[in-house]
Structures are given as structure tokens and as C-alpha cells.
Amino acid sequence: MNKKRTKKRTQHYKKHTGQVPGTLVYTGEKSHKNVKIESFDYTKDSISETILTNIEDAKSFKETDSVTWINIDGLSSIDEIENIGLQYGLHPLVLEDIVNTTQRPKIDEYDDYLFVVLKMLYYDNDENIVIEQVSLVLGKNYVLSFQESEGDVFDTIRERIRIGNGRIRGLKSDYLLYALIDAVVDNYFSIIETLGNKIEDLETDLFEGHSRDNINIEVQQLKREILKVRRAIFPLREIINRVEKGEHPLIYKRTITYYRDIYDHLIQVSENIDIYREMIWSLMDMYMTTISNKMNEVMKVLTIMSSIFIPLTFLAGIYGMNFEFIPELKYRYGYFVLLGVMFLMFLGLLYYFKRRKWL
């Protein structure tokens, strides 16, 4: 299974080898025949929520005075992504990064828009971490968001826009971009909390001696998960730092404080990741120590048993069967009784070792 994943990931990277820069090649795993486009066009006093059936209709929101959020679900249809790029004048390299789902989180500044790539994290039904790429384009009065499939962490943003809760309806598109990024970052805390609970449960099991046979595999899986989360989250600090310290005309000074709050949250998440990373290494050391202690316990019991039988074996080695009167020698079935006793001793010791979990 791991070999298949490695092969698949390698194919994703090789798809761009030798191709002209700006060539659109979808590298994700979630294929959708139709792109779903939903739009929220709003001002402080009004809102229009629409599911667009025609991509050309998205262009009509570009020149309005209202703020528009257009969310695109589905990246496998290259022609439709190119069409959206034409409607909003996106650079071919931007479109290439949108459909390249292995893209590292980053920010690119253009004259009339900002392009941001970040990772959305969530747990699937099997409690495995899923990393989905989200691409955001900030324009003068619009934000475009591109996702691989339906389902995200933006439901609270949609609800705030619908009911006009908070500042989102009264501020510009740069605040909408902040709100979307903040929703992704807030979800990181639930991921980190779940990881922390898993690590603490394993630590408790190891400390209390309730180690399972596959506990080393669980520790290894946790280590891989924390590394995946770290790779997804750490580059986002650089993005927010550039937005906070930059002077792009699309980011107003009044919203810089909000982006600074995201940066503080990312610092907190990063510190927790580093703590949990150290705890995972400690878990591995604790596991090895537990195994060593168990081995020492086994060796102690076997040493005691050997110490008991060594003097008896010594005496038997000297005297052997050199006695004139041995009652059992004349017993007709003595040989078979001895074999039975030896077999019962073998079964008894095997049961004892199994019960002590030495085998």
C-alpha cells in the first residue's frame, strides 16, 4: 500500500517534467466532471447568493461596487479553470499552481490581485488526516477560492455573510480574504487537539504498561501525521508575515491587525506542533525502554529458573544413574511415563510463557 502511494506521488511530480511553464495539469485525486461555482455578492445592506451554471456569468461580478466571493469546487476540468482565468485575467502560472495540488503554500503578488495557496486539513471517517489545497485570489472587490471538491471549513463564513453578523459585510474584499484564511487556521486547532489526545493516550498506555502489539506502528503513524501537518502549516507563517509587512494596495491598513492575529494563532499552532513532535520522539524512546524492561523481566525469571536447576543438573551429572537400587528401572511403563511428564512440562512452560506474553 505504501509503495502504491509513493508511486502515485512520484507520478504527480513527474507530470510537469519537460512541459512548458503555464501548462495546466491537474495532479489531484478527486475527479469531478462538472465544476460547481457558488457566488456571494454583498454590500452592507444587501446580499445575493447564487449557484452559477455558466462560467461567463462570473465575469459580471468583476466590475461591481459590491464585494463578491466566488467559490469553485472541482479542479479536474482544465477547460473550465482556464475559462475562469480568462474571465478574471489570471496569469497562466497562477492557473498552473491552482490545479497542481502538490503546490507548497505560498503567496504571489501581481499588480491587480494577490494569489495565495494554503492547505485545508481535516479528518476523514477513518480518522486519517486529509490535506486539501485551497487557492485564493484577492482582487479589488472580489475573492476567488478554488477547491478540489465540495465540503470545506467555510460554512461559518457563509452564515456570517447571510445574516450580516460581524464586520464582514461592512468591509472590503481584503477582510473577506482574512476571514477565509482565519477559518482554515482555526480548524488547525481542532487537528492539533486531536493529535494531542492521541499522543497523550499512547503515552498513558505506555506508562501504565498497557502496550499493544502494534503500538510501535501507531507511534510511527502519529509521527508521519505530525510531519504532514507541520509541512502544511509552517509555510503559512511566511505568507501572513509578508501580508502583514507588505504594502500591497489591495490590503488596507485597517485589516493588517486582523492578519497579525492570524500570525499569532499560527505561532501558537507551530509551538504545539513542536511540543507534540518532541512528545512523539519521547514515546518512541519510552516504547523502546518498555520493551527493554520486559526483556529484562523475562531474563530475570529465566535466570532464577536456571539458578534453581543448575545445582540439580550438576549433581545429576556427577552421580548420573549410578545407583544400585532405583525402583523406576523395573517399572514396565516407566519410559512412557517419563515421556508424558516431559511433554506436560513442555506444555506447562509454553502456557506460562504465553500467559506472561513472552511469546
Side-chain angles (χ1 to χ4, degrees):
M1 185 173 182
N2 291 334
K3 291 183 179 179
K4 291 182 179 179
R5 289 181 181 175
T6 304
K7 184 177 181 181
K8 202 166 198 178
R9 191 181 300 117
T10 304
Q11 289 175 348
H12 287 174
Y13 285 111
K14 286 184 177 180
K15 283 180 181 178
H16 291 273
T17 303
Q19 292 180 344
V20 178
T23 302
L24 272 63
V25 178
Y26 176 60
T27 60
E29 300 178 3
K30 301 176 181 178
S31 178
H32 294 267
K33 295 181 180 179
N34 298 320
V35 174
K36 178 184 177 182
I37 305 175
E38 61 174 342
S39 68
F40 288 85
D41 186 67
Y42 61 88
T43 63
K44 187 175 182 180
D45 303 316
S46 63
I47 176 178
S48 174
E49 181 179 350
T50 311
I51 300 296
L52 302 179
T53 57
N54 193 341
I55 295 176
E56 282 72 18
D57 294 339
K59 187 178 180 180
S60 61
F61 297 104
K62 187 177 180 181
E63 304 300 334
T64 61
D65 294 331
S66 57
V67 177
T68 305
W69 172 27
I70 299 178
N71 182 63
I72 298 96
D73 291 327
L75 304 179
S76 58
S77 181
I78 299 300
D79 293 337
E80 295 185 359
I81 299 299
E82 285 183 329
N83 201 349
I84 295 174
L86 289 175
Q87 302 296 329
Y88 280 84
L90 302 182
H91 196 280
L93 292 178
V94 171
L95 298 178
E96 180 184 3
D97 289 339
I98 288 174
V99 297
N100 178 18
T101 58
T102 60
Q103 178 63 52
R104 182 179 184 270
K106 68 171 187 174
I107 180 171
D108 289 335
E109 299 182 13
Y110 294 85
D111 293 336
D112 54 350
Y113 63 88
L114 282 175
F115 175 58
V116 178
V117 177
L118 65 158
K119 302 296 183 179
M120 180 172 61
L121 308 180
Y122 59 91
Y123 279 100
D124 61 12
N125 296 329
D126 298 326
E127 293 189 355
N128 296 318
I129 290 182
V130 178
I131 301 178
E132 184 174 333
Q133 179 168 302
V134 177
S135 302
L136 303 173
V137 178
L138 169 66
K140 182 179 180 181
N141 58 350
Y142 66 87
V143 173
L144 307 177
S145 58
F146 297 85
Q147 304 180 56
E148 288 187 71
S149 60
E150 295 183 43
D152 50 41
V153 296
F154 301 142
D155 287 340
T156 56
I157 307 301
R158 295 182 178 93
E159 194 62 25
R160 284 163 57 188
I161 293 175
R162 291 186 183 111
I163 66 178
N165 188 21
R167 304 177 180 86
I168 194 166
R169 290 262 293 271
L171 296 177
K172 299 293 183 181
S173 57
D174 59 333
Y175 185 86
L176 175 60
L177 177 68
Y178 150 76
L180 295 176
I181 297 176
D182 185 58
V184 173
V185 173
D186 284 345
N187 194 59
Y188 290 163
F189 284 97
S190 63
I191 298 295
I192 294 301
E193 182 180 359
T194 303
L195 277 174
N197 292 335
K198 288 183 177 180
I199 294 172
E200 290 175 0
D201 291 342
L202 274 179
E203 186 179 43
T204 301
D205 290 342
L206 284 172
F207 184 77
E208 294 179 353
H210 301 154
S211 59
R212 300 174 290 278
D213 293 337
N214 62 340
I215 200 167
N216 59 326
I217 299 177
E218 294 181 34
V219 173
Q220 198 67 21
Q221 288 176 343
L222 275 176
K223 187 173 74 171
R224 284 197 295 265
E225 285 185 4
I226 204 72
L227 289 176
K228 287 169 61 177
V229 171
R230 191 176 188 273
R231 284 196 298 266
I233 293 178
F234 270 53
L236 190 54
R237 295 190 303 178
E238 178 185 348
I239 295 173
I240 302 302
N241 190 43
R242 283 183 58 183
V243 172
E244 181 186 348
K245 296 183 179 179
E247 296 181 355
H248 198 280
L250 291 175
I251 304 294
Y252 295 93
K253 290 185 178 180
R254 62 174 176 267
T255 58
I256 292 296
T257 303
Y258 299 109
Y259 285 97
R260 189 176 296 119
D261 182 63
I262 293 180
Y263 187 81
D264 293 339
H265 290 169
L266 287 172
I267 292 296
Q268 183 178 350
V269 171
S270 300
E271 289 175 350
N272 289 334
I273 290 175
D274 288 336
I275 291 173
Y276 292 146
R277 191 182 180 192
E278 293 296 326
M279 288 179 66
I280 289 175
W281 284 110
S282 299
L283 283 180
M284 187 61 73
D285 293 338
M286 186 182 297
Y287 172 74
M288 298 305 297
T289 302
T290 303
I291 295 298
S292 179
N293 289 338
K294 284 186 175 181
M295 183 60 68
N296 291 337
E297 186 70 21
V298 172
M299 295 304 297
K300 183 176 71 174
V301 174
L302 294 179
T303 301
I304 292 174
M305 294 175 64
S306 299
S307 300
I308 294 173
F309 284 97
I310 282 175
L312 302 178
T313 305
F314 174 74
L315 293 176
I318 292 177
Y319 289 99
M321 304 293 289
N322 299 319
F323 292 96
E324 183 177 354
F325 301 102
I326 301 178
E328 292 82 3
L329 291 177
K330 297 185 179 294
Y331 184 61
R332 182 175 181 180
Y333 301 102
Y335 173 75
F336 301 102
V337 171
L338 179 62
L339 287 179
V341 171
M342 293 168 65
F343 183 70
L344 290 176
M345 289 180 63
F346 167 75
L347 292 180
L349 290 173
L350 190 64
Y351 172 76
Y352 177 75
F353 292 155
K354 283 280 189 182
R355 188 175 181 182
R356 297 296 298 269
K357 296 181 180 181
W358 292 353
L359 294 176

